[in-house]
Amino acid sequence: MSKTASKLLFVVVMALCAGCASRYDVIAAMHRGGYDEVLENTENINDFPERDRTLILNYRAQAKLGLGYHLSARDDFLRSWNIMNTGAGGGHAAAYVIAEDNKYYMGDPYERVFNSYYLGLLYYMLNAPEDAMASFTNALFADTGDFKLNEYAADFVPAMVMRTRVYLDRGAKLDAQDQLKALNALPKNERNFDPACPWFNIDDQLNTNTLFFVELGDGPFMTAEGRHGQTRVIHPSRYPEAYAEIYVDGKTLGRTYKVADSFFQAVTRGGRAMDEVLKGKAIAKDVTTVVGAVGVGVGVSMMENGDSTAGAITAGVGALVLLAGLLLNPEADVRSNVLLPGEVHLMQAQLPPGPHDVELRVFDKDGRELRRMRQEGLDLNVPQKGDAVMLLRSQPRYKIPLQEADRLADPYARHKTIR
Amino acid sequence: MIKNRLFLLMTAIALLMTVAACGSESTRVDPKDDEEDPIQSSGPYSSDLLEVTDVIMAQFKAERVSEDFRDQYKDAPIIAVIRPLNDTRFPNITKIFEERLISGLMKKTTRRELRFVNRESDTLDAVAAEKAMKESGEVTDRSGRRTKYGADFFLKAKFTALSMTDGDHSSDTINYSFELIDPETTEIVFKGDHLIKRVSEKDALYR
């Protein structure tokens, strides 16, 4: 091999390695410093490879939400919403030929559902009910595989509950009833939601003004399995939380009810078109690697036996096929938003307008309280008109903004001031 | 020699594939021209919003709402734009639509023809606070006016959509409807709509 070819080989290897640069480990960042660490790490989105930026935006939005910067979180969820729902993606050729994770992250359907759901909640909490309505509608759209065949019909209950609330905010009681009818027509599958949830009727919806969405546990994660890692497997996370109980001003409102399960959402929308491509790539990788190696071997033998021209051609073609086989990476893309919760629980109540003191207690499946997850002294302000919405998480716990200014603050300006 | 040539060819292909994924640029495009937009979405484009607000403004003129009102009351009618209802799956279009509609109508008419009142809750809160300060003498009050203008007409818009997907394609048919309502009698003075359908295809990578 000439010196020029060797140099070029080095450049190619470096370029390909650059394409395989290590991913941002958000779980490690959360262990190191929680949402503050993620917020700091992700300040400059342009520091990350283009193909990962939408995922990073979702991480940053989640961190801002967790720290109580609702307006800024909404902006990031909206930025990523635009890419996940109206973008065409990118890195297609490299994803097909080299590795799937060269494509721009756009999220699986369940990740798009959660993105729209958070965006809708934040719009609703920031007094933009019509934008909230559109976001919740899109959450259901993203959860729907094929309208024509009525396949994978949307079954994400939190979006249905919130669409009901927006209809009531408009004064459209009949539309709210229609939405509840659709909710009550869902299969009563306890893996998806608790059918015993008592607020799925118009009377209770009309007679409540406060919604608590309590997130429990961690969401699913993905691994690449199989000989070449070509099979993407979605795993549920294990967590002890089973339900929560909410106290307001020292009195219990009762237990929460599960309205969404992110693992169920992740695995109940059929297979991916990409899975077939990856299977084909895995087979092609085996074949090209073997054929290429044999070609090189035969070519070298031919040259050793005096047939130098034919031997060189055979060896060259063999090397080409071998290189193609080595470059072909059938490994499945396992990037996912691992900051999502395992479950979403709901509590609705009618509370007098004004300030209230909220306490969250979390329990395991045997009814034992998980004491370290108890959250006390949470401030809730119920408005004279409209709903109060409180978003809580067992762990890592969400900060509740103390004042409107905190909710609207620029997190980076504030963090720099603190430093 | 052959080995080197083959190797150089492979090198060039691999480099091209790697470089193809890099780089970004920003280009200013005409908001009225869909064809220039590299985004191939089935959702509303800026050109759609411009088109719809132009349709509403044209109907406003055609219905001679201002002329008829002025003939009867010798003053321009006061319009309040009610929050548009967004039943599509696309957030963030309500505000831009509302802003564009009001500014478009104000650009194409004079205060002698049409007048507008702001009914946004944050504006009303600020107005109430200002009035209270004037009442208390904390700030000056040059005109002595106290009464807010009532609306002679409500302009109401609603966006509804039929959104469908078969996994490969998404289609969104959005109906932009609008009506002018007499708030005293609830009479619909005029009503119109404008339908726009868009279809987009998803790459198999993202199905």
Side-chain angles (χ1 to χ4, degrees), chain A residues 8 104 130-131 138 320, chain B residues 10 83 86 89 92 94 206:
Chain A
L8 277 168
Y104 290 12
E130 294 307 324
D131 293 322
N138 190 68
L320 184 74
Chain B
M10 283 302 293
R83 116 187 173 198
N86 185 358
R89 65 183 183 96
N92 229 24
T94 35
Y206 295 112

Side-chain angles (χ1 to χ4, degrees), chain A residues 328-405:
Chain A
L328 201 66
N329 181 355
E331 191 166 306
D333 181 9
V334 292
R335 290 172 296 172
S336 67
N337 185 353
V338 287
L339 295 185
L340 293 178
E343 299 172 19
V344 178
H345 282 228
L346 175 68
M347 157 67 69
Q348 286 192 231
Q350 178 71 30
L351 296 176
H356 296 278
D357 178 72
V358 174
E359 183 180 321
L360 175 75
R361 296 184 190 179
V362 181
F363 298 86
D364 68 11
K365 62 180 173 39
D366 298 319
R368 288 175 300 220
E369 188 191 354
L370 301 162
R371 190 65 180 80
R372 69 181 190 283
M373 294 183 193
R374 186 184 284 195
Q375 297 173 39
E376 296 167 312
L378 306 170
D379 291 319
L380 171 70
N381 189 37
V382 177
Q384 288 287 340
K385 188 172 174 286
D387 288 337
V389 176
M390 194 172 218
L391 190 56
L392 300 164
R393 186 159 183 171
S394 54
Q395 65 174 2
R397 57 184 61 178
Y398 290 156
K399 277 186 192 164
I400 306 300
L402 293 176
Q403 300 165 11
E404 193 60 10

Side-chain angles (χ1 to χ4, degrees), chain A residues 1-2 4-6 8-9 11-12 15-16 50 78 81 85-92 94-98 100 103-106 112 119 123 127 129-131 133-135 137-138 141 144-148 166-167 169-170 269 271-274 303 309 312-313 315-317 320 323-324 327, chain B residues 1-15 17-25 38-45 83-96 121-122 158-159 161-172 200-207:
Chain A
M1 191 183 297
S2 72
T4 313
S6 300
L8 277 168
L9 174 65
V11 172
V12 171
L16 291 172
E50 267 187 292
L78 180 61
W81 185 98
N85 293 282
T86 65
H92 299 85
Y96 280 118
V97 181
I98 306 177
E100 190 197 356
K103 73 181 184 186
Y104 290 12
Y105 168 90
M106 302 275 272
R112 295 202 288 271
L119 180 62
Y123 269 128
N127 201 27
E130 294 307 324
D131 293 322
M133 178 60 119
S135 305
T137 304
N138 190 68
F141 182 78
T144 304
D146 189 333
F147 263 114
K148 287 176 194 160
V166 181
Y167 279 132
D169 182 66
R170 289 180 183 174
R269 200 177 170 266
R272 303 186 308 154
M274 195 62 198
M303 284 191 287
T309 308
I313 292 171
V317 172
L320 184 74
L323 182 60
L327 285 174
Chain B
M1 189 65 184
I2 292 168
K3 274 195 287 185
N4 282 346
R5 282 187 184 165
L6 284 170
F7 194 78
L8 285 171
L9 180 67
M10 283 302 293
T11 305
I13 292 168
L15 272 176
M17 281 165 54
T18 311
V19 171
C22 304
S24 63
E25 58 181 60
I39 305 292
Q40 295 302 310
S41 160
S42 57
Y45 283 45
R83 116 187 173 198
L85 302 183
N86 185 358
D87 280 334
T88 74
R89 65 183 183 96
F90 300 98
N92 229 24
I93 59 171
T94 35
K95 202 67 195 167
I96 186 172
S121 56
D122 54 345
K158 185 173 184 179
F159 320 135
L162 180 62
S163 298
M164 296 172 75
T165 177
D166 62 1
D168 302 349
H169 300 86
S170 291
S171 107
D172 289 278
S200 68
E201 188 179 4
K202 285 184 200 164
D203 190 280
L205 276 173
Y206 295 112
R207 286 174 203 159

